């Protein structure tokens, strides 16, 4: 399995506060992704990156921003957390070619109260 | 746009009986398709993938899937369920977009294995 570490693994925060989730990979994969998982919705893509400082939006990007200053790190920021952002967040990485597998981290459980 | 539909949100089987998890896809060209498994409170793990080679794909833990273009299906099967197979399963298709690739997930099928 690819070395993908997410931090924090669990966080409770208050509405309106900023939150940053970190994804760190040791596989030198070009592509990194942030997904959120909610019951009945499967995994939905928030943002992805195809290289250092190269990012793009996914299907549920409102309220989220990302940054990638190094190949190995991909940060997801909730500028002002809302209760609707309570979810499980997964980071994934891959080489980005058709047919290539993407590998997942263990997830970050975020609760916004 | 590519998409996948998992036809059952929940499937229950008895231990030792066959497993069938259904997935239909929509794609304007020959797709790459995956099945991932997620055990409780864990990340997703690749079970198997189809990338236009053999239409019958074998994966880990005795699972296999058959790509049927005429039926636009990629159903996951296992001859004999084990208690450890209880998990959520996701069918995934790759969508090429703007020179890159996105992975589109189905909504998942939760497999329950009864003793």
């Amino acid at each position: 399995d690819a070395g993908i570490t997410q931090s924090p693994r669990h966080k409770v925060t208050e509405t309106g506060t900023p939150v940053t989730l970190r994804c760190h990979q040791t596989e030198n994969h070009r592509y990194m992704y942030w997904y959120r998982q909610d019951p009945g919705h499967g995994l939905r893509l928030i943002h992805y990156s195809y290289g250092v400082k190269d990012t793009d939006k996914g299907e549920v990007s409102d309220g989220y921003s990302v940054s990638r200053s190094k190949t190995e790190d991909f940060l997801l920021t909730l500028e002002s957390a809302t209760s609707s952002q309570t979810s499980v967040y997964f980071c994934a990485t891959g080489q980005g070619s058709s047919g290539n597998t993407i590998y997942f981290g263990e997830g970050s459980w975020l609760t916004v109260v | 746009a590519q998409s996948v539909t998992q036809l059952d949100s929940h499937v229950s089987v008895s231990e030792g009986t066959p497993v069938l998890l259904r997935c239909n896809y929509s794609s304007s060209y020959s797709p790459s398709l995956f099945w991932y498994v997620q055990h409780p409170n864990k990340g997703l793990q690749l079970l198997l993938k189809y990338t236009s080679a053999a239409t019958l794909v074998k994966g880990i833990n005795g699972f296999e899937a058959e790509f049927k273009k005429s039926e636009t299906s990629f159903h996951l099967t296992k001859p004999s369920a084990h208690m450890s197979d209880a998990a959520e399963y996701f069918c995934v298709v790759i969508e090429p977009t703007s020179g890159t690739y996105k992975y589109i997930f189905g909504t998942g099928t939760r497999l329950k294995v009864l003793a």
Side-chain angles (χ1 to χ4, degrees):
Chain A
D1 287 341
I4 303 171
T5 306
Q6 293 185 227
S7 60
R9 294 291 314 284
H10 298 271
K11 186 174 182 65
V12 179
T13 192
E14 294 186 348
T15 298
T17 60
V19 176
T20 295
L21 306 180
R22 179 180 184 243
C23 178
H24 178 80
Q25 59 136 335
T26 58
E27 298 298 313
N28 200 35
H29 284 161
R30 179 183 173 193
Y31 284 76
M32 299 185 75
Y33 307 83
W34 277 108
Y35 288 88
R36 61 177 289 173
Q37 183 178 26
D38 304 289
H41 291 277
L43 275 77
R44 293 179 291 174
L45 182 63
I46 305 171
H47 282 279
Y48 66 100
S49 169
Y50 46 96
V52 173
K53 298 185 179 177
D54 292 323
T55 65
D56 204 351
K57 297 178 179 180
E59 61 181 306
V60 290
S61 59
D62 288 348
Y64 302 94
S65 62
V66 290
S67 65
R68 191 170 179 198
S69 59
K70 297 185 291 185
T71 297
E72 57 266 34
D73 290 328
F74 192 33
L75 304 181
L76 176 71
T77 298
L78 291 65
E79 301 290 349
S80 178
T82 68
S83 58
S84 65
Q85 293 176 311
T86 292
S87 187
V88 185
Y89 292 86
F90 286 96
C91 174
T93 74
Q95 293 290 21
S97 301
S98 179
N100 274 73
T101 302
I102 56 172
Y103 300 90
F104 285 84
E106 293 279 283
S108 294
W109 275 254
L110 177 66
T111 302
V112 183
V113 298
Chain B
Q2 274 62 245
S3 65
V4 289
T5 302
Q6 293 184 241
L7 300 170
D8 306 292
S9 59
H10 294 82
V11 170
S12 291
V13 301
S14 297
E15 190 175 23
T17 64
V19 175
L20 170 65
L21 305 183
R22 299 182 294 166
C23 173
N24 286 351
Y25 69 90
S26 172
S27 176
S28 56
Y29 65 102
S30 183
S32 293
L33 293 158
F34 303 75
W35 276 99
Y36 280 83
V37 60
Q38 183 183 31
H39 289 94
N41 301 317
K42 294 291 186 182
L44 281 76
Q45 179 185 16
L46 179 71
L47 269 180
L48 50 82
K49 67 178 180 181
Y50 167 77
T51 56
S52 75
T55 56
L56 182 62
V57 182
K58 294 187 183 300
I60 62 171
N61 299 333
F63 284 94
E64 62 182 37
E66 186 171 8
F67 174 75
K68 292 187 176 180
K69 186 175 181 179
S70 60
E71 299 176 10
T72 62
S73 69
F74 190 56
H75 300 335
L76 182 69
T77 60
K78 183 174 181 178
S80 176
H82 190 273
M83 296 298 289
S84 61
D85 295 328
E88 189 155 23
Y89 293 79
F90 293 94
C91 184
V92 183
V93 67
I94 291 181
E95 176 179 288
T97 176
S98 303
T100 183
Y101 297 91
K102 294 181 183 178
Y103 293 74
I104 309 299
F105 285 75
T107 53
T109 298
R110 188 169 297 277
L111 176 65
K112 186 175 183 179
V113 181
L114 307 172

